Amino acid sequence: METKSGFLGHMTSQQTEALKELKEIVEQSELAEALDKHPDGDKYLLRMLRATMKDKGRKRIFKPELAFKRLSEVLNWKADNLEEVKTEDFQVFEKAYPNYHFHDKKQGTLVWINRIGEFTNTVKS
């Protein structure tokens, strides 16, 4: 199976240069701090580059300026529309579902882990 270019470890020289250029644009912008905290780093930037690429025949041409515009729009939308999950909210879940773990990752994502093999019925009939 052939791996498409545009992913870490599978990039053309143009794509590598476009990633480097996008990093420089981001470092000079107000988004630098927000992206420093992002756990996926280059993978996230490549995702933006792939979303705005121009496909010329069989070559995937990245456009850093368009990717930066899209990145800015996405991060601004997230800042305006997504709320941070508070630790107190997880205590409600833990009380109702004691066999499951709920964690708040860096980005405020709810993660539900089911411990297989353990089950206790805490519901009283």
Side-chain angles (χ1 to χ4, degrees):
M1 183 172 122
E2 183 180 327
T3 304
K4 287 188 175 183
S5 67
F7 294 85
L8 283 180
H10 301 282
M11 296 178 7
T12 65
S13 59
Q14 187 278 330
Q15 292 167 345
T16 304
E17 286 299 315
L19 177 61
K20 184 179 176 183
E21 185 179 335
L22 179 57
K23 282 181 175 180
E24 290 172 0
I25 294 170
V26 167
E27 286 175 7
Q28 297 170 4
S29 74
E30 69 280 355
L31 302 177
E33 187 177 328
L35 281 174
D36 284 342
K37 297 176 186 176
H38 200 282
D40 290 333
D42 286 354
K43 286 183 183 181
Y44 193 66
L45 293 178
L46 281 170
R47 183 175 167 196
M48 293 297 146
L49 284 164
R50 284 192 308 271
T52 56
M53 74 181 177
K54 302 294 180 192
D55 196 352
K56 303 247 180 175
R58 301 201 77 152
K59 294 182 180 179
R60 302 176 106 188
I61 308 297
F62 288 166
K63 300 289 184 182
E65 301 82 17
L66 294 175
F68 178 74
K69 181 180 177 197
R70 183 178 185 102
L71 177 66
S72 177
E73 290 170 356
V74 167
L75 292 178
N76 288 332
W77 181 89
K78 284 183 176 184
D80 293 341
N81 296 297
L82 299 180
E83 294 180 20
E84 298 238 357
V85 179
K86 297 178 183 142
T87 308
E88 300 86 44
D89 295 342
F90 292 112
Q91 292 172 355
V92 173
F93 290 115
E94 289 172 353
K95 191 177 244 183
Y97 302 101
N99 293 321
Y100 300 94
H101 291 275
F102 298 89
H103 296 282
D104 183 12
K105 289 176 63 180
K106 289 181 183 180
Q107 297 300 313
T109 305
L110 179 65
V111 178
W112 180 331
I113 302 171
N114 181 3
R115 291 185 276 176
I116 296 180
E118 293 182 36
F119 183 79
T120 54
N121 186 356
T122 59
V123 179
K124 296 181 181 179
S125 33

